[in-house]
């Protein structure tokens, strides 16, 4: 009887080991290889129509483990406020909303400043409910701080604010007509 139980246990453990080998870990190396691929991946991963499941593993991969996501806006009392979130906080507070409502954020202009291994990007965006919408329901600027460790790009912080009537986006951060 002991032999049967031991054999069953070994078989179960063996099948478990094979099952783990079959699970492929996604390779996101190309998503963080360049500054451009990192920012494009950021916009791509949060965008999608209603019901579209986001790749939160990719989202997490873009950010340094201590990164903060920081929306800046006016409170109901008309006070300017910021809210500090971890990557997991953002996913838990915004993930379901993005999937339920549909959200496509498109970069329309970018200003880049770099020194050594650090880069600051002002990325002007427009947001749409569907990919085919022609008029954005909101606009704003993402201030993205990045670090290149010699191997890949990391988003260190993402601070953003939306355009309002009181604070329109300056022409410097809008697409330039030729």
């Amino acid at each position: 009887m002991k032999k049967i139980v031991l054999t069953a246990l070994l078989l179960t453990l063996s099948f478990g080991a094979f099952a783990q080998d079959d699970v492929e870990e996604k390779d996101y190396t190309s998503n963080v290889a360049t500054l451009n691929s990192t920012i494009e991946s950021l916009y791509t991963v949060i965008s999608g129509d209603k019901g579209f499941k986001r790749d939160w593993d990719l989202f997490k991969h873009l950010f340094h483990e201590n990164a903060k996501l920081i929306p800046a806006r006016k409170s109901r009392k008309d006070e300017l406020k910021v809210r500090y979130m971890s990557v997991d906080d953002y996913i838990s507070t915004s993930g379901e909303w993005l999937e339920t409502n549909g959200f496509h954020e498109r970069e329309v202009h970018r200003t880049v400043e770099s020194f050594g291994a650090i880069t600051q990007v002002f990325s002007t965006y427009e947001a749409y409910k569907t990919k085919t919408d022609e008029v954005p329901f909101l606009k704003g600027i993402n201030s993205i701080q990045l670090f290149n460790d010699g191997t890949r790009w990391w988003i260190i912080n993402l601070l953003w604010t939306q355009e309002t009537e009181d604070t329109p986006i300056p022409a410097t951060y809008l697409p330039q007509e030729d």
Side-chain angles (χ1 to χ4, degrees):
M1 181 68 171
K2 282 185 183 178
K3 224 178 198 181
I4 294 172
V5 172
L6 184 58
T7 303
L9 180 60
L10 287 174
L11 281 174
T12 302
L13 292 174
S14 296
F15 285 127
F18 287 124
Q20 286 178 346
D21 288 342
D22 290 342
V23 176
E24 279 187 47
E25 190 170 311
K26 293 181 182 173
D27 181 7
Y28 295 123
T29 305
S30 64
N31 297 90
V32 293
T34 67
L35 177 70
N36 195 48
S37 67
T38 305
I39 293 173
E40 284 179 5
S41 295
L42 174 64
Y43 280 104
T44 300
V45 77
I46 63 169
S47 297
D49 288 331
K50 278 185 187 181
F52 179 76
K53 189 126 180 89
R54 302 327 194 250
D55 185 349
W56 294 121
D57 290 335
L58 170 56
F59 188 75
K60 290 177 184 181
H61 187 77
L62 298 173
F63 290 85
H64 186 274
E65 66 181 330
N66 296 315
K68 294 293 179 210
L69 291 91
I70 312 163
R73 62 181 70 161
K74 280 191 177 181
S75 70
R76 290 184 181 135
K77 296 179 182 178
D78 232 19
E79 300 169 324
L80 291 173
K81 299 274 186 176
V82 293
R83 178 175 169 213
Y84 295 91
M85 295 182 283
S86 68
V87 173
D88 287 330
D89 292 338
Y90 178 84
I91 293 168
S92 67
T93 59
S94 300
E96 185 178 330
W97 187 93
L98 294 172
E99 190 174 331
T100 300
N101 294 284
F103 182 81
H104 290 268
E105 192 170 81
R106 296 182 195 141
E107 183 181 52
V108 296
H109 187 265
R110 183 187 300 177
T111 303
V112 179
E113 298 287 335
S114 296
F115 177 73
I118 64 172
T119 297
Q120 158 60 42
V121 176
F122 255 33
S123 176
T124 307
Y125 65 85
E126 295 179 342
Y128 303 83
K129 296 276 184 176
T130 71
K131 207 175 208 174
T132 58
D133 288 351
E134 293 183 21
V135 178
F137 72 92
L138 64 88
K139 298 176 184 181
I141 293 181
N142 288 318
S143 172
I144 310 165
Q145 290 80 45
L146 301 106
F147 173 72
N148 187 308
D149 66 6
T151 305
R152 58 158 292 176
W153 286 91
W154 295 95
I155 299 175
I156 300 300
N157 286 309
L158 173 57
L159 169 68
W160 71 94
T161 194
Q162 297 172 6
E163 177 181 61
T164 66
E165 284 184 30
D166 296 337
T167 54
I169 297 172
T172 304
Y173 302 117
L174 294 172
Q176 306 301 310
E177 302 282 331
D178 289 330

